[in-house]
Amino acid sequence: MECFDQDERIIEGTVEKVIFENDRGDFSIFVISVMADEIVQEITCTVQGQIHIGEDVKLTGFFIVHPNYGPQFKAGKLERVMPKTTESIEKYLASGAVKGIGPSRAARIVKEFGLETFEVIENRPELLAKIKGITKKMAAEIGREFADKSFQRNTMMFLQNMGLTANQSKKIWEKYGEDAIDTVKRNPYALAEDIFGIGFRIADGIAEKAGISRSSPFRISAGVSHILTEALGSGHVYLPRPELIAKSRDLLGLEASEIENQLLRMVMEADIKQDKIWREDGEDEIAVYLAAYYHAEIYVARRLLELNAAVEAPGTDVDSGIAEVERESGVVLADLQKMAVREAVMRGALVITGGPGTGKTTTIKTIIRIMHKMGKSLVLCAPTGRAAKRMSEATGMPASTIHRLLGISPENTRMSLKSEVPEEMMIQQDCVIVDESSMVDIILMSRLLWRIKPGARLVLVGDVNQLPSVGAGNVLRDVINSGKVRVVYLDEIFRQSRESAIVMNAHRINEGVYPVLNEKTSDFFFIPETDINKLIVTISELTAKRLPKFMDVDAIRGIQVLTPQRKSAAGVANLNIVLQNVLNPASPNKAEKAMGSFVFRQGDKVMQIKNNYNTQWVVVNEMGAVVDDGYGVFNGDEGIVERIDGEARKMRVRFEDDRVVDYEFGQLDELVLAYAITIHKSQGSEYDVVILPIHSGPPMLLNRNLLYTAITRAKKLVVIVGIAGTLYRMVDNIRENVRYSTLEYRIVRLYRQWHDEEGGEDE
């Protein structure tokens, strides 16, 4: 695309025709009529935004020549005014912009009222009843519709003139309503906190247009919050104060003193918390947290120690109970498994950890049976729907996601951890068992502990060598490292598991030993490929043809491509487009919805990429009746697109635990295609077949921890495609991204405080 006019131009005219508008409403191709020297010219234009026929617009941009579509005006800025001529007023009304007015009715109204049409509709709608076909009731309804839309329309125009897209403007209107303009003028940085898809930089651009000072307290607070929020995305619960100030200086272009002054105000207003962390090595530091994460860590530390101290005696001979369960099941437990069962009964809080094939599931099943013999009730849960389903299948007992167990709703997520839990919200069971606990973040753990009744038992089961949670914190590792909660390490690989190359190679990798590749009768294969393009073709063929036939699995539901990267040729973005084309190609029978650089299609596998506590879901039975409902879809939830309704502007997704969600098109930026996902996003999930492209990339993305996690996601088969040298370097690379968290510190510190107060000695 080349410019034939290097100077920025301003053109004004009336929208005559909309050639194209994407479904998100944030890109339009249209034709305007422009009066120049008493001659009307038609100009094709493009703009980031939504356009209606009949609107008068002022566009700022450049004339270009598109290689396929010829001369165009590419507008970088769009300003709207309501139509001023009778012709443009009629076109606007005829476009369907006002409910109840179509082309013929628009013509009759404009003929009657001319340039006063809008004033009549808004202020004297009863006069519309003079028009043939419009009753008094219809006139009143048209007036109300126009008045309601007038404020919204003016707001949307204002927001889009500030550089926001139509989709962003719609979200702002839905959030703030008639307060939208005042909010943006007063503090546009509120948008970064309240509106998904509007970050600090967009808000900062709006603030600059609004004339807000670069040293405004609103701006500094928003910048600091933005940096702390970005840190959450890397797993950090806090940032060291010097690092936070340095990052804030870079982002805001201000002096450290200005930022330090605002930090003090934010602490006083309870937006953030500062705390001095006393290290035993003398390397003390000032940690700065978003307030919710500070309180969550303190709460988790306190509740874990409270649970540990308050458990009642079992009132039965645990060893006899274990022997009885062994006789009934025909399974003989290893010594460490028996220890884990014994500790689960005797302790208020317990961690059971171990790699694949070490008997964690058998141990859970035995705990369940012993507890039942003791007359104790249990509840089983896991962080993801897939993990909960697997837990239920393995134990024969119902299991749910943690979110579903807690009945997460917009109301109870706003309840403070400091408040007393209403009786009806308390988890009533005597024992809570959490599987895949390595992926439970600090906020979710705090919410779970808030709901567990005093005196109950908590058993956390997980593999500490897995990647930590996608959300902030390092909960399982911190609890284990604290030494104040009992931990049982299961390290014996059982005979049936030793027959699996997946299990044995996972343990080799964890111990720093290279995996054995392509053994006969193996469930672990390596396909060498150095050419990145051939690698992608191989993955495509394996997924679509070879493995579904070889393994008798569903190509979409049973096979998962896991990749360390997002943006490389073998990363998530590119692989999803490639795999969609072979697994769910376009068809006249499949509805589609364009989303930026990709398309959602009926039948696609998708994943939610943010926690949304306000989204409603239902579960329906085979007869179509609703049998359950609730709120909340969460980062990492996977599902299938069942329906795309262009007229209703909705897309229906059925998630793995049978929750059905109807997404408004404006919400679809919360979803991505999931034929290929990052290894991080696979935590807590298990797939029949895992395909793993290993080619090249930075050391921080290619480490042992990542490889181990990817391999242990597979139940039946692992296929690695790529470069053996890169695979071996991953095994050698023990580098892990450091997470700033202080849960271990807080557990130890609180334990010592309590212990000292009781006059005892520390462990």
Side-chain angles (χ1 to χ4, degrees):
M1 197 178 283
E2 63 173 307
C3 291
F4 64 82
D5 185 345
Q6 297 296 321
D7 296 326
E8 188 174 66
R9 300 296 181 99
I10 296 175
I11 60 174
E12 297 184 52
T14 303
V15 178
E16 301 290 342
K17 179 168 61 175
V18 177
I19 299 172
F20 171 79
E21 178 184 287
N22 70 359
D23 285 326
R24 291 176 65 181
D26 59 5
F27 178 74
S28 301
I29 304 173
F30 57 100
V31 175
I32 66 170
S33 58
V34 177
M35 179 71 73
D37 297 327
E38 299 185 353
I39 298 174
V40 176
Q41 294 180 315
E42 289 196 342
I43 300 173
T44 300
C45 307
T46 65
V47 75
Q48 296 292 320
Q50 195 173 39
I51 289 292
H52 289 107
I53 294 172
E55 287 182 323
D56 286 345
V57 294
K58 180 179 179 181
L59 305 171
T60 304
F62 298 90
F63 284 100
I64 63 168
V65 177
H66 191 283
N68 297 323
Y69 304 111
Q72 297 180 351
F73 188 80
K74 183 178 181 181
K77 182 180 179 182
L78 163 69
E79 295 180 56
R80 288 182 170 88
V81 293
M82 290 303 294
K84 294 184 177 66
T85 66
T86 54
E87 292 82 2
S88 59
I89 291 172
E90 182 178 335
K91 285 178 183 176
Y92 178 79
L93 293 177
S95 70
V98 179
K99 186 178 179 181
I101 301 179
S104 59
R105 191 165 286 168
R108 292 197 297 272
I109 291 172
V110 174
K111 183 178 180 181
E112 176 69 27
F113 300 110
L115 293 174
E116 295 183 352
T117 294
F118 286 157
E119 190 273 332
V120 168
I121 295 175
E122 186 166 11
N123 300 314
R124 295 177 288 160
E126 67 277 3
L127 296 181
L128 295 174
K130 294 170 58 177
I131 306 299
K132 183 180 178 181
I134 299 180
T135 65
K136 289 183 178 179
K137 182 179 179 182
M138 290 171 60
E141 289 174 351
I142 290 171
R144 281 194 297 270
E145 167 80 8
F146 190 85
D148 289 344
K149 284 198 168 182
S150 177
F151 200 97
Q152 180 180 355
R153 183 169 54 250
N154 292 336
T155 300
M156 298 285 280
M157 288 180 181
F158 169 82
L159 294 172
Q160 290 178 55
N161 288 338
M162 296 294 283
L164 292 158
T165 68
N167 193 40
Q168 291 167 339
S169 301
K170 181 182 177 185
K171 287 183 178 181
I172 293 169
W173 170 260
E174 290 172 348
K175 174 68 177 178
Y176 302 116
E178 295 184 359
D179 295 328
I181 293 177
D182 286 342
T183 299
V184 171
K185 285 181 176 179
R186 184 179 68 257
N187 179 18
Y189 297 102
L191 305 180
E193 183 175 343
D194 294 340
I195 310 296
F196 180 68
I198 297 182
F200 172 81
R201 289 176 175 82
I202 292 176
D204 204 32
I206 297 170
E208 185 177 2
K209 291 178 183 177
I212 292 176
S213 167
R214 290 173 56 80
S215 298
S216 161
F218 284 138
R219 181 170 187 262
I220 301 174
S221 292
V224 169
S225 296
H226 169 73
I227 290 166
L228 289 172
T229 302
E230 277 201 329
L232 298 177
S234 299
H236 303 306
V237 176
Y238 74 92
L239 285 179
R241 194 170 188 273
E243 183 175 335
L244 174 62
I245 291 173
K247 288 178 179 292
S248 299
R249 287 183 61 192
D250 291 343
L251 176 69
L252 300 170
L254 299 174
E255 293 300 319
S257 59
E258 295 178 277
I259 296 163
E260 289 168 348
N261 289 337
Q262 187 59 27
L263 284 178
L264 291 174
R265 284 194 288 268
M266 293 177 75
V267 169
M268 292 175 64
E269 293 169 3
D271 295 328
I272 62 173
K273 296 291 289 188
Q274 285 190 156
D275 198 12
K276 186 165 186 177
I277 307 301
W278 304 89
R279 304 293 188 190
E280 292 187 0
D281 59 6
E283 296 294 325
D284 302 337
E285 67 178 351
I286 301 294
V288 185
Y289 309 72
L290 291 172
Y293 289 82
Y294 170 83
H295 293 301
E297 275 202 338
I298 290 176
Y299 186 82
V300 168
R302 179 169 64 82
R303 285 292 288 133
L304 282 173
L305 292 177
E306 286 175 346
L307 287 173
N308 221 19
V311 71
E312 64 185 45
T316 186
D317 185 343
V318 180
D319 288 335
S320 296
I322 292 173
E324 186 178 348
V325 170
E326 287 180 319
R327 287 194 300 272
E328 292 171 351
S329 65
V331 175
V332 178
L333 272 64
D335 289 343
L336 284 172
Q337 289 178 301
K338 292 178 182 179
M339 180 185 292
V341 175
R342 195 178 300 115
E343 295 292 338
V345 173
M346 302 293 292
R347 303 266 181 172
L350 172 70
V351 174
I352 301 173
T353 186
T358 56
K360 294 192 295 295
T361 299
T362 300
T363 305
I364 292 173
K365 290 166 69 175
T366 307
I367 293 170
I368 292 170
R369 298 185 69 171
I370 293 289
M371 289 287 185
H372 282 156
K373 288 179 181 293
M374 293 169 55
K376 300 295 184 183
S377 57
L378 300 95
V379 63
L380 311 185
C381 59
T384 67
R386 189 179 283 262
K389 184 177 181 181
R390 187 175 72 248
M391 191 182 192
S392 181
E393 291 170 348
T395 63
M397 184 175 171
S400 72
T401 64
I402 299 173
H403 288 103
R404 200 160 177 182
L405 170 66
L406 299 179
I408 293 291
S409 71
E411 291 75 26
N412 63 41
T413 55
R414 289 191 287 267
M415 294 180 70
S416 169
L417 295 174
K418 297 178 181 179
S419 62
E420 187 174 339
V421 184
E423 180 64 25
E424 66 274 11
M425 291 178 62
M426 191 78 75
I427 297 171
Q428 298 299 325
Q429 284 82 358
D430 301 309
C431 180
V432 179
I433 301 179
V434 184
D435 199 10
E436 294 287 356
S437 55
S438 63
M439 66 175 300
V440 180
D441 63 40
I442 191 65
I443 294 294
L444 187 56
M445 180 58 77
S446 69
R447 286 286 159 184
L448 176 63
L449 289 170
W450 187 58
R451 302 277 289 277
I452 293 176
K453 68 180 183 180
R457 292 166 172 83
L458 173 67
V459 180
L460 301 176
V461 184
D463 185 348
V464 73
N465 292 307
Q466 298 281 357
L467 290 169
S469 57
V470 174
N474 210 353
V475 174
L476 184 64
R477 189 179 294 273
D478 281 353
V479 171
I480 291 172
N481 289 346
S482 75
K484 306 307 176 189
V485 175
R486 185 71 169 96
V487 181
V488 177
Y489 296 87
L490 302 180
D491 58 10
E492 180 181 342
I493 305 172
F494 291 93
R495 181 183 58 79
Q496 62 269 32
S497 296
R498 289 199 297 269
E499 296 172 1
S500 166
I502 295 174
V503 171
M504 298 311 295
N505 277 334
H507 284 276
R508 288 188 185 97
I509 290 166
N510 194 41
E511 294 163 4
V513 179
Y514 296 155
V516 176
L517 307 178
N518 299 339
E519 281 186 329
K520 194 173 182 180
T521 69
S522 176
D523 52 6
F524 191 104
F525 291 94
F526 176 76
I527 300 174
E529 186 55 75
T530 57
D531 186 292
I532 189 66
N533 294 315
K534 292 180 180 178
L535 178 148
I536 292 169
V537 170
T538 299
I539 288 175
S540 176
E541 291 175 345
L542 285 167
T543 308
K545 299 176 182 177
R546 293 161 60 180
L547 291 179
K549 184 176 180 181
F550 174 64
M551 294 295 297
D552 190 26
V553 295
D554 183 273
I556 292 178
R557 290 176 172 83
I559 299 175
Q560 185 63 59
V561 177
L562 303 179
T563 174
Q565 298 167 290
R566 293 183 182 278
K567 297 182 180 179
S568 69
V572 167
N574 186 53
L575 285 175
N576 267 315
I577 293 172
V578 171
L579 293 172
Q580 183 192 45
N581 287 336
V582 296
L583 295 176
N584 190 30
S587 164
N589 300 321
K590 296 177 185 175
E592 294 186 350
K593 170 69 178 73
M595 274 296 294
S597 60
F598 64 92
V599 169
F600 285 126
R601 188 172 294 139
Q602 186 178 339
D604 276 337
K605 179 157 66 172
V606 295
M607 175 179 281
Q608 176 83 7
I609 58 171
K610 75 173 288 264
N611 290 337
N612 189 328
Y613 298 97
N614 298 306
T615 296
Q616 189 169 15
W617 52 263
V618 297
V619 176
V620 296
N621 62 19
E622 294 179 355
M623 304 298 292
V626 174
V627 296
D628 196 8
D629 60 44
Y631 287 89
V633 286
F634 304 100
N635 192 354
D637 285 353
E638 294 181 64
I640 301 293
V641 176
E642 284 195 339
R643 188 168 70 201
I644 299 175
D645 188 335
E647 186 172 332
R649 298 182 67 80
K650 291 184 178 181
M651 186 169 89
R652 174 166 293 178
V653 176
R654 181 180 294 274
F655 289 98
E656 292 170 326
D657 53 1
D658 288 327
R659 288 173 303 149
V660 174
V661 174
D662 284 331
Y663 287 83
E664 302 281 349
F665 279 180
Q667 288 181 272
L668 294 185
D669 51 1
E670 298 179 13
L671 292 168
V672 294
L673 295 174
Y675 299 102
I677 62 176
T678 63
I679 297 169
H680 272 95
K681 289 288 189 182
S682 73
Q683 293 166 258
S685 296
E686 192 174 64
Y687 310 94
D688 286 338
V689 178
V690 165
I691 302 175
L692 184 60
I694 298 293
H695 192 264
S696 59
M700 65 179 295
L701 291 178
L702 301 176
N703 58 47
R704 183 188 300 174
N705 197 213
L706 202 72
L707 180 61
Y708 174 81
T709 299
I711 288 169
T712 54
R713 298 305 88 203
K715 286 196 293 186
K716 298 179 180 178
L717 180 68
V718 170
V719 180
I720 300 176
V721 184
I723 301 172
T726 304
L727 175 64
Y728 297 147
R729 283 194 294 276
M730 290 183 77
V731 177
D732 293 335
N733 182 11
I734 61 173
R735 172 181 176 179
E736 294 182 35
N737 294 329
V738 175
R739 287 193 167 200
Y740 294 125
S741 66
T742 46
L743 179 60
E744 175 190 347
Y745 166 83
R746 298 198 182 283
I747 293 172
V748 172
R749 187 175 177 84
L750 186 58
Y751 178 89
R752 287 175 175 169
Q753 287 175 357
W754 288 4
H755 207 64
D756 290 345
E757 288 171 4
E758 294 167 7
E761 295 181 2
D762 195 11
E763 286 187 346

